[in-house]
Amino acid sequence: MTEETSSPYAYFLGGTLVLEHLNSEATPPAPFQWLNAKWRCPAVYYRAVRPWLDAQCIRNAVPRWQTLTLTLHDDRDLHPYQTEALDAWLTADRWGSIVLPTGAGKTLVACHAIARCGVSALVVVPTIDLLHQWYARLENSFAPAPGLPTVGVWYGQEKRLEAITVTTYPSAWANAETLGAQFKLVIFDEIHHLPTPAWHEIALMTAAPYRLGLTATYPEARGGEGERGRGGAEERRSGGVEGTQHSVLSTQSSALSTQSSALSTQSSVPSPQHSTLSFDPVSLLDELVGPVVYRKHIDELTGEQLAEYRTERIRVDLTAEERAAYDAAYATYTGYVREAHLRESHGPNWWDEFTRRSAYEVKARRAKVAELKLKDIVHQAQGKLDALDRLLREHADLPMLIFTAHNRFAYTIARRHLIPAITHQTKAAERKAILDDFRAGKYRAIVTSKVLNEGVDVPEAKVAVLLGGDSTAREYVQRLGRVLRKRGATQAILYEVIARKTVDERIAQQRRANVKRQNAAFTYTTNSE
């Protein structure tokens, strides 16, 4: 039987949709492109082209997923806002993201979404810790019974594919060709990780017509990080995207360019450097997962679902020795930036250019060393240690999380107060033991850098102390969320300890502006030390 007389059909191959037995004179919809003697398009467009396949009576061999009969074994009733979030996602044709604060029950909403859809589901998470947490939660929620699947995991050395499977972003990206047509529903937990040159290809190469994004900190538009770097605070895309549907066909030309290299071989995963998709994070997620369909900010849920909280800013002075060293380093750093006219010549990208020059230009290198030194002075200021001493005495009866800008200061505090530190160097078993003991009350405080910002099930704490960090709203909201799990009427407290008359103040101002820009307003009580 010749190609011309054979019945056309569509199938999934290497992250793409391929039309077989359809010649070059055919006129399939816009996403398809004639490449390597076949009509092809990225798999993400399956949702958009499926009606055309049905209308043209083209056999659809793309889906490899299953229809499931699931019973959700969870006696907890959804809060009204959780019901609203689930309904909004279902109304949006099961396509889009839900933004809820840490501790507001996003995982429970996702379990209900899986139960309502009743189809094969893949959950993609950023860390191994989260993978194990999701696995346990899904096993408990959808307990195996005769004829029902168990929950699978796909990462590292353990690759067990089931109708409901949990994987990590790296594993999903590396195995997109294998996983891309196995699941009708894909849930991206901590979806703010997805818009990167590599991870976004997971969504691009997946055929799933149902997609759910979950996060407490939806991505912000590309921008800088002030004194940390890039000439201004990150800004959220204005106007919001709630309640809108973004046509997946509207930017098809860029996605096709991304796939052209892979299509020519019909097999390989496209390399990030070939991608021409828009890397504005919000626009990218609109296209690949859908817009935000529901959002609640921290302040909207405090009091009922989340603990009441207050934030307090404590300003401290540098010692005379620290001040002299800081001023000298700052003069060297800012002197070079002014002399080289970097802000005028490179606009918001001036810090990137500064960093690039530091690799080969002596003056730039000297300025870069000075920049790192002044930050190190601020991050490890003696005044911050003294302020922490007072806070530990004041809140001796409350569990406390202490956040630093880097590991060295975390270890300094751990030795000074004989409390455990959790960093990226802490092994999984040790981390679990520390968190278990913290939950049991054996430890009154834990100090960490950025490891506990997200992706770890942190036991309840009522006091958070920020001794250093960046200017993004995301980090602030993540850290605040760690003390907002409601238990009784205890008020949560977040302290920001800031070195006076340093870059610390500007970073804190930008952080506050970024949070306000996200409509997560909060009030500061200033307490100068």
Side-chain angles (χ1 to χ4, degrees), residues 212-272:
L212 171 61
L214 300 171
T215 184
T217 54
Y218 201 68
E220 302 165 354
R222 287 291 184 197
E225 295 183 20
E227 282 299 338
R228 198 180 157 207
R230 303 170 176 86
E234 286 186 318
E235 276 190 355
R236 172 170 301 283
R237 176 188 178 201
S238 62
V241 290
E242 295 86 340
T244 63
Q245 284 293 328
H246 180 82
S247 173
V248 72
L249 296 174
S250 63
T251 53
Q252 47 83 25
S253 59
S254 62
L256 289 171
S257 298
T258 303
Q259 291 293 311
S260 59
S261 174
L263 291 172
S264 65
T265 62
Q266 300 188 30
S267 61
S268 61
V269 176
S271 299

Side-chain angles (χ1 to χ4, degrees), residues 27-50:
T27 56
F32 285 101
Q33 194 173 82
W34 184 256
L35 292 170
N36 202 21
K38 306 282 186 187
W39 288 105
R40 310 169 188 270
C41 76
V44 65
Y45 295 109
Y46 175 73
R47 176 174 175 268
V49 303
R50 184 177 53 182

Side-chain angles (χ1 to χ4, degrees), residues 78-364:
L78 291 177
H79 293 293
Y81 70 89
Q82 292 173 313
T83 300
E84 291 170 2
L86 179 61
D87 289 345
W89 181 73
L90 293 170
T91 301
D93 202 17
R94 308 178 187 201
W95 182 266
S97 292
I98 293 171
V99 183
L100 292 174
T102 301
K106 294 183 291 294
T107 304
L108 181 59
V109 174
C111 289
H112 277 265
I114 293 172
R116 291 287 293 271
C117 290
V119 295
S120 300
L122 179 70
V123 179
V124 187
V125 301
T127 67
I128 300 297
D129 284 329
L130 266 179
L131 180 144
H132 291 308
Q133 291 170 32
W134 268 94
Y135 174 80
R137 184 65 173 273
L138 292 170
E139 276 281 306
N140 291 334
S141 296
F142 303 103
L148 292 181
T150 58
V151 176
V153 291
W154 190 283
Y155 74 103
Q157 299 302 311
E158 188 174 1
K159 294 180 173 62
R160 179 167 50 84
L161 197 65
E162 300 290 351
I164 300 176
T165 296
V166 190
T167 187
T168 63
Y169 280 88
S171 294
W173 177 76
N175 297 275
E177 295 173 316
T178 301
L179 304 175
Q182 299 291 338
F183 302 94
K184 192 171 186 178
L185 167 63
V186 176
I187 297 173
F188 295 100
D189 194 19
E190 309 291 0
I191 196 174
H192 52 268
H193 289 284
L194 189 64
T196 69
W199 302 157
H200 82 273
E201 292 178 358
I202 303 167
L204 190 70
M205 300 176 68
T206 298
Y210 301 159
R211 303 183 182 207
L212 171 61
L214 300 171
T215 184
T217 54
Y218 201 68
E220 302 165 354
R222 287 291 184 197
E225 295 183 20
E227 282 299 338
R228 198 180 157 207
R230 303 170 176 86
E234 286 186 318
E235 276 190 355
R236 172 170 301 283
R237 176 188 178 201
S238 62
V241 290
E242 295 86 340
T244 63
Q245 284 293 328
H246 180 82
S247 173
V248 72
L249 296 174
S250 63
T251 53
Q252 47 83 25
S253 59
S254 62
L256 289 171
S257 298
T258 303
Q259 291 293 311
S260 59
S261 174
L263 291 172
S264 65
T265 62
Q266 300 188 30
S267 61
S268 61
V269 176
S271 299
Q273 62 264 31
H274 293 145
S275 179
T276 58
L277 279 170
S278 166
F279 281 108
D280 169 66
V282 176
S283 299
L284 194 61
L285 290 184
D286 278 1
E287 179 178 354
L288 297 179
V289 181
V292 173
V293 296
Y294 189 83
R295 189 197 310 265
K296 282 286 186 183
H297 297 290
I298 288 175
D299 287 352
E300 296 178 87
L301 297 180
T302 54
E304 292 189 35
Q305 282 74 43
L306 299 178
E308 295 284 359
Y309 74 97
R310 63 184 174 91
T311 62
E312 185 168 332
R313 177 180 288 178
I314 301 174
R315 288 183 171 86
V316 300
D317 291 312
L318 298 181
T319 66
E321 183 180 354
E322 289 170 340
R323 173 56 64 185
Y326 175 88
D327 289 344
Y330 189 76
T332 301
Y333 165 53
T334 57
Y336 174 81
V337 172
R338 285 195 301 267
E339 178 184 326
H341 303 289
L342 291 178
R343 296 180 190 271
E344 295 83 356
S345 59
H346 290 81
N349 298 316
W350 70 268
W351 189 85
D352 293 324
E353 174 62 17
F354 166 52
T355 302
R356 187 183 70 82
R357 291 187 186 187
S358 69
Y360 62 86
E361 186 180 305
V362 174
K363 288 186 176 180

Side-chain angles (χ1 to χ4, degrees), residues 466-486:
L466 275 57
L467 299 177
D470 60 35
S471 64
T472 62
R474 174 177 302 156
E475 182 176 88
Y476 176 88
V477 171
Q478 288 169 336
R479 291 177 169 185
L480 175 59
R482 293 306 183 191
V483 296
L484 288 185
R485 297 185 187 277
K486 186 174 178 63

